[in-house]
Amino acid sequence: MSIDIRFADAPLGHEIRGVDLSQSIEDATFAEIEAAYDRYGVIVFRDQTLTPDQQIAFSKRFGPLDRYVLERYNLVTHPDIFVVSNVIENGKPIGLADAGRYWHTDMWVKPIPPRGSMLYALEVPVRDDGEPLGDTYFSSMSAAYDALPDWLRERIEGRKAVYSARKNVEYRIANAPVDPATGELSEEAKEGMRERLANMTPEITHALVKHHPRTGRKCIYYSEGAISHIIGLDEKTSDETLEALRQHVLQPRFIYRHRWRIGDLVMWDNCSCIHKATGDFDLPLRRRMHRTTLSASVAV
Ligand code: SIN
């Protein structure tokens, strides 16, 4: 069977139709799905009904999985599934509400970050007028690389940047939504940030341009509010370059906005795109997602 792709009005975020991910997918169809994933960076499947076992089985077709580091947010029965949710049950959060409300690649704290992730929507917050909330944005880092102005390409090509856990946590605290009652970050959110910091390597170095391990395409490797400086540039030039890079990668022409519906499964490639959750909703509106994370096959 040849897969049916409905193209989004962006370089990524294309919808693959006619595939039931709860069933075992024949090898030829799987190869087409994997080729689309590698090529576009974000692919979308709508109207799926998946048990945790079925999501894990589909995820494992791509290779081994990584478990989320903060284990209490993984499903007890299926620890390969990381729960992204704002739902509280028996006084305890069932998942992590804020898995990244800033532009980022997943697990930049690791020398070899994961290949990518898939997020499956079980509950989606919807406003009174029917508008879904909690969208996720994706920006294509391969398209952004191809469109770099010459001066910026020359400035970043072959250079490495230092990522700082402390800088990132400070940035996330400064930009996190506050509790309207207290005007402060909730205790749970503060605790989450502290826990994250304790689990992160203080500093890690990544190339600013990486070759995609499967396609060979060059991609900008960037996360907002995480890079302290670019090695080999003075402070002013480094800051100016990072700001120019931020403005470049966040141009609307590279961005796909995913408006969630229950039953959506979205897969993103961690080298060729960055993403950001909006988090523009609160309880009693509920959001519940199951994420699996694909291990990196090759270092980049
Ligand atoms: C994530 O970054 O893993 C989650 C994205 C989202 O919650 O939309």
Side-chain angles (χ1 to χ4, degrees), residues 17 21 27 35 50 63 97 128 172 196 211 227 275 288 297:
R17 293 198 174 171
L21 302 178
D27 288 348
L50 294 176
D128 285 348
R172 291 178 73 166
R196 229 180 251 133
H211 282 95
I227 302 175
H275 61 284
R288 188 161 59 97
S297 44

Side-chain angles (χ1 to χ4, degrees), residues 106-114 201 203-207 210 221 296 298-300:
D106 288 328
M107 299 302 294
W108 50 259
V109 290
K110 291 172 85 173
I112 305 175
T201 315
E203 285 194 342
I204 184 133
T205 300
H206 285 288
K210 295 198 182 199
Y221 192 79
V298 194
V300 285

Side-chain angles (χ1 to χ4, degrees), residues 82 84 97-101 104 106 117 119 134-138 260 268 275-278 287 289 291:
F82 162 41
V84 179
D98 172 7
R101 294 174 185 172
H104 67 283
D106 288 328
S117 292
L119 196 62
D135 298 351
T136 311
Y137 289 85
F138 298 91
W260 290 95
W268 63 87
H275 61 284
K276 170 189 172 144
T278 50
R287 188 175 193 258
M289 309 272 182
R291 191 180 105 180

Side-chain angles (χ1 to χ4, degrees), residues 6 10 16 29 52 76 83 102 110 144 156 159 184 205 215 259 274 290 292:
R6 298 296 154 105
I16 296 183
T29 306
V76 178
V83 182
Y102 71 108
K110 291 172 85 173
I156 65 170
R159 287 199 186 274
E184 285 196 13
T205 300
T215 65
R259 316 211 72 193
I274 56 177
H290 280 176
T292 42

